[in-house]
Amino acid sequence: MGKELFIAEKPSVAKEFAKTLGVNGNAGNGYLESSDYVVTWCVGHLVTMSYPEVYDPALKKWSFDTIPFIPEEYKYEIIDASSKQFQIVSKLLNREDVGRIYVCTDSGREGEYIYRLVEQMAGVDKSKKDRRRVWIDSQTEEEIMRGIREAKELSAYDNLSDAAYLRAQEDYLMGINFSRALSLKYSYTVRNYLGMDRCVIAVGRVMTCVLGMIVKRHRRI
């Protein structure tokens, strides 16, 4: 069947897999390899969703005339800072001598999303690879071996992947459109009130509560 490729989300986790599998070598190449196994990692996200100006350069300018921005098909791109590692992982995924891929990213929706984006951008021929999902709760040797032994076909997690894509698209649409709309509407007032030279009201998964505080504070003045 060829070699087995293990892809973790973080270098530290990949090293635990390599240790368990008896794979030694120089991790400076972006992966570790033995006669039977190859172990690599994603350093978090390697792929991201493209900004509106990638769809149309005119969308780089913030205007009420161009929101809401809702693309018919979402575009993705490789993160510049992580492009070297992406190229390494992409080549490993498509190597002819790799017959089975073990997805070892974090057990959850975000970990699933990280791998699926990489596979998508790498153009992996799914018909030529046996893809398995390792689902573990810790990085002990016993748990890693159990996860490998009980790994299910990746397709068993397609619903989780779909949920991850939808969550990311929701965050993207909320962030892009509300950041632009609220900045266009309120940034001048908030900037003057806070004594700032510039002000962008960012809306996102993490910053929504902060935004609420700013808007409420603005409404009281």
Side-chain angles (χ1 to χ4, degrees):
M1 184 178 64
K3 290 193 174 185
E4 296 179 343
L5 171 64
F6 295 79
I7 300 181
E9 187 169 326
K10 308 176 186 71
S12 59
V13 177
K15 289 177 182 178
E16 292 301 321
F17 271 83
K19 179 181 177 182
T20 298
L21 295 168
V23 181
N24 301 310
N26 181 12
N29 294 325
Y31 67 97
L32 298 164
E33 185 170 3
S34 69
S35 58
D36 298 313
Y37 308 120
V38 183
V39 182
T40 190
W41 50 89
C42 292
V43 292
H45 283 273
L46 299 179
V47 179
T48 188
M49 301 178 77
S50 299
Y51 280 103
E53 54 264 32
V54 174
Y55 297 79
D56 183 348
L59 294 173
K60 187 172 184 178
K61 180 180 179 181
W62 292 21
S63 169
F64 281 117
D65 295 333
T66 58
I67 52 178
F69 169 68
I70 305 176
E72 293 184 3
E73 183 177 346
Y74 291 88
K75 295 184 179 182
Y76 300 86
E77 59 191 64
I78 301 163
I79 298 173
D80 287 341
S82 306
S83 60
K84 180 180 179 180
Q85 188 61 20
F86 172 82
Q87 296 300 331
I88 291 170
V89 175
S90 178
K91 288 180 181 178
L92 293 173
L93 284 169
N94 289 293
R95 263 175 48 169
E96 290 292 336
D97 63 337
V98 170
R100 174 174 291 173
I101 299 168
Y102 283 99
V103 181
C104 310
T105 47
D106 291 356
S107 301
R109 182 172 55 193
E110 194 69 13
E112 194 70 21
Y113 184 60
I114 286 173
Y115 172 75
R116 298 288 184 131
L117 285 179
V118 171
E119 183 180 84
Q120 172 185 319
M121 293 296 287
V124 177
D125 186 345
K126 300 173 186 178
S127 66
K128 294 183 178 180
K129 308 292 182 180
D130 178 19
R131 298 140 65 235
R132 302 293 179 94
R133 183 57 156 109
V134 176
W135 197 272
I136 56 178
D137 297 321
S138 65
Q139 285 86 50
T140 64
E141 182 175 335
E142 294 78 10
E143 182 68 357
I144 288 173
M145 290 306 298
R146 181 201 63 76
I148 295 172
R149 185 173 59 252
E150 300 177 4
K152 299 179 181 178
E153 291 187 7
L154 187 62
S155 59
Y157 296 86
D158 283 350
N159 286 342
L160 181 66
S161 173
D162 291 342
Y165 272 89
L166 288 173
R167 172 61 186 267
Q169 290 166 9
E170 177 188 35
D171 286 342
Y172 177 86
L173 292 176
M174 291 285 290
I176 292 294
N177 290 298
F178 279 93
S179 293
R180 294 187 176 207
L182 292 172
S183 293
L184 289 167
K185 181 70 174 179
Y186 295 110
S187 64
Y188 180 78
T189 303
V190 174
R191 182 185 67 193
N192 288 341
Y193 179 71
L194 297 177
M196 302 168 64
D197 293 330
R198 298 180 62 188
C199 176
V200 173
I201 301 177
V203 179
R205 188 188 307 178
V206 177
M207 300 187 67
T208 304
C209 293
V210 177
L211 167 67
M213 293 173 61
I214 293 175
V215 172
K216 288 179 181 178
R217 191 176 181 184
H218 161 65
R219 287 173 178 168
R220 287 202 298 267
I221 62 175

